[in-house]
Amino acid sequence: MNAPSKNYGMTAVEAMNSLNGFDEIAIEKAFGQDFDDLNGRATVRAVIFVLEKRAGASDKDAKQYAMSVPMGQLDDHFESNPEEVDEDEPETEQGKDSSADG
């Protein structure tokens, strides 16, 4: 079963940063592990699961969707991180944060 490609309008990092304690409990219940214990694609699938739940899907349907996304389409669900055009004058928040370190 191929899942249709969606885009949630945020980067994967932004989506992960939006998780709250209730989301973490739902992930643990659905995936049998704490979010912090997941890695790689399982982490992305867990985030997709939460975003589907937020969009109104049941736990079962959200997990079914997250698990049905082909590996090659996982990243398509999120915006890509914008690249800095001029690293000396960063425009993105990530670029501004990294230039403050240096």
Side-chain angles (χ1 to χ4, degrees):
M1 173 180 176
N2 280 348
S5 187
K6 295 183 179 185
N7 187 297
Y8 295 110
M10 63 180 95
T11 67
V13 171
E14 290 169 336
M16 281 190 277
N17 286 337
S18 77
L19 297 180
N20 61 44
F22 296 110
D23 296 331
E24 292 177 43
I25 291 169
I27 288 168
E28 182 177 359
K29 185 176 176 183
F31 290 85
Q33 289 183 282
D34 288 330
F35 182 74
D36 291 338
D37 294 336
L38 298 173
N39 55 53
R41 291 180 301 276
T43 302
V44 178
R45 291 186 192 282
V47 171
I48 289 173
F49 162 78
V50 168
L51 295 175
E52 286 297 305
K53 283 180 50 65
R54 288 180 184 171
S58 67
D59 286 10
K60 180 182 175 185
D61 289 344
K63 184 175 181 185
Q64 178 66 35
Y65 178 81
M67 296 306 290
S68 69
V69 177
M71 285 184 351
Q73 291 181 11
L74 287 171
D75 291 340
D76 296 343
H77 284 67
F78 302 97
E79 297 292 318
S80 60
N81 290 323
E83 294 182 27
E84 294 295 347
V85 176
D86 182 356
E87 290 185 20
D88 292 332
E89 294 184 30
E91 294 181 17
T92 66
E93 289 305 314
Q94 288 175 325
K96 289 176 184 176
D97 289 344
S98 66
S99 67
D101 295 340

